[in-house]
Amino acid sequence: MSDTAPLRETPDAADTAWTRKHLLGIADLSPSEIELILDTAESFREVGERPIKKVPTLRGKTVMNLFFEPSTRTRSSFELAEKRLSADSLNFSGSGSALSKGETLIDTARNLEAMAPDLVVIRHQHPGVPHLLAERIDAGIINAGDGAHEHPTQALLDAFTIRQHKGGLEGLEVAIVGDIEHSRVVRSNIHLLTKMGARVTVAGLRTMMPVEVEKMGVRAAYDLGEATRGADVVMMLRVQLERQAGGSLFPSVREYFRLFGLSPERLKRAKEDAIVMHPGPMNRGTEISSLVADGTRSVILEQVANGVAVRMAVLYLLMAARGAAV
Ligand code: CP
């Protein structure tokens, strides 16, 4: 933006074609809705580059952040996005709440709703909890990750980061490697990337691959080299030991890295200008080497930075659909 260009505080709500009350998953969204979120995030990215990183868009509005599972990136970037939009935030975590005294989730949600939040951001270990809340309470609901089901804002920030580097998503070859079975990030990314015309290959151990994953419109590979050959984007995923109820599904960390760990040597199979992504948290030496994670092709910290602008866009659009953004 030039020095003389007018500062646009926020996108114009009248320009938006967003009508949804909730963001529960990418599966529900159309390509034009995805584009709208990404374009809106582009407008908000500039706010983070100003000396005073704040706009009055959600002044007087209340957003509750309910996190029933640990989070570093999602929770802090939602909080920062809310502060940058001048919303009032309330942070609630499952541990230390009355849930431990036997209160049900729905009763907890109804009690929190009595304080009249406009939006509720929720992360929960069980799939479908955001959908349940959306049916039971009046506030707009944003899914910040529900079990192994969806993590829509992660896929949106991933798409935003890919667009920055590749100019678009259509026709790109994207390899997603790791614990496909237990990953909500991969589900949201598959929905988003295939809707936007990218070709997706998922790769991992057979024990961590969903049955008939190809029905989601992707290619399955059981070899890292095969998955990454000619890729524009290589997205590495963590092995989610906490979701492997029946015990570990891989032999050892050393063996896993030998088979599916991304090293500089193995990255050579991807295109010369391929980017490396990871939603975090990373397990260095398990799915990715430090040389790759900290290397020139890595955009992992850019993903984190972009999360704030993307979450500002989601908060803004949902609030605008409620007729509540200024
Ligand atoms: N990517 C992601 O969801 O990270 P957190 O668990 O730290 O929020």
Side-chain angles (χ1 to χ4, degrees):
M1 181 181 283
S2 79
D3 289 347
T4 52
L7 273 183
R8 199 170 177 212
E9 287 292 282
T10 59
D12 185 345
D15 289 348
T16 66
W18 186 268
T19 55
R20 288 180 189 275
K21 187 177 170 192
H22 312 291
L23 178 65
L24 300 176
I26 300 293
D28 310 329
L29 301 185
S30 66
S32 60
E33 286 174 309
I34 293 167
E35 292 266 13
L36 176 61
I37 297 173
L38 301 182
D39 292 345
T40 307
E42 199 59 63
S43 307
F44 281 120
R45 193 163 63 94
E46 182 268 332
V47 174
E49 292 164 3
R50 296 183 193 174
I52 296 174
K53 300 174 175 53
K54 214 170 178 77
V55 288
T57 313
L58 299 189
R59 193 168 47 206
K61 305 301 169 196
T62 306
V63 184
M64 285 186 177
N65 303 307
L66 313 188
F67 278 74
F68 295 90
E69 267 194 338
S71 170
T72 298
R73 284 145 287 267
T74 311
R75 183 176 183 150
S76 46
S77 68
F78 264 115
E79 283 181 41
L80 198 52
E82 291 151 17
K83 287 184 195 329
R84 288 191 178 167
L85 291 169
S86 305
D88 296 318
S89 299
L90 181 148
N91 298 311
F92 176 93
S93 58
S95 60
S97 74
L99 283 161
S100 60
K101 299 179 195 165
E103 186 169 62
T104 66
L105 176 68
I106 293 297
D107 278 336
T108 301
R110 284 201 177 126
N111 278 270
L112 293 171
E113 195 192 22
M115 298 176 223
D118 296 284
L119 296 178
V120 171
V121 177
I122 179 159
R123 168 172 288 191
H124 200 279
Q125 61 273 26
H126 293 308
V129 166
H131 306 68
L132 183 68
L133 287 196
E135 287 167 7
R136 302 290 182 96
I137 70 174
D138 184 52
I141 306 292
I142 301 173
N143 181 357
D146 61 328
H149 177 225
E150 279 230 39
H151 191 351
T153 57
Q154 179 67 44
L156 288 161
L157 74 88
D158 291 340
F160 187 83
T161 307
I162 296 171
R163 234 175 49 155
Q164 274 182 336
H165 282 269
K166 302 292 172 192
L169 298 165
E170 192 165 0
L172 291 182
E173 296 283 350
V174 181
I176 308 180
V177 182
D179 185 354
I180 308 300
E181 170 77 14
H182 299 99
S183 173
R184 54 194 172 210
V185 173
V186 81
R187 259 168 209 77
S188 289
N189 262 298
I190 288 173
H191 287 309
L192 191 152
L193 292 165
T194 55
K195 280 174 199 271
M196 304 307 280
R199 285 188 291 272
V200 179
T201 300
V202 293
L205 291 173
R206 285 185 189 275
T207 50
M208 296 184 204
M209 190 70 80
V211 178
E212 299 187 332
V213 69
E214 292 92 344
K215 286 192 174 163
M216 292 189 78
V218 301
R219 185 171 73 99
Y222 301 95
D223 176 84
L224 179 64
E226 185 194 333
T228 55
R229 192 174 302 121
D232 299 285
V233 176
V234 181
M235 187 183 295
M236 303 305 294
L237 301 174
R238 181 175 71 90
V239 176
Q240 303 204 21
L241 294 173
E242 73 276 20
R243 297 197 205 284
Q244 296 182 13
S248 178
L249 297 174
F250 75 110
S252 69
V253 168
R254 181 195 288 250
E255 181 69 355
Y256 186 81
F257 186 77
R258 191 182 70 74
L259 293 169
F260 285 101
L262 191 63
S263 62
E265 192 54 35
R266 301 179 111 187
L267 182 57
K268 284 182 185 160
R269 299 206 179 202
K271 287 197 180 134
E272 244 174 62
D273 63 349
I275 56 171
V276 175
M277 309 182 78
H278 195 306
M282 267 188 293
N283 289 135
R284 292 168 183 262
T286 303
E287 71 270 10
I288 191 166
S289 77
S290 285
L291 285 172
V292 175
D294 304 328
T296 53
R297 317 268 283 277
S298 168
V299 298
I300 294 169
L301 293 179
E302 289 174 47
Q303 289 173 261
V304 178
N306 288 335
V308 180
V310 167
R311 287 169 177 131
M312 286 173 82
V314 169
L315 292 162
Y316 163 74
L317 289 169
L318 291 185
M319 207 72 92
R322 292 170 72 81
V326 296

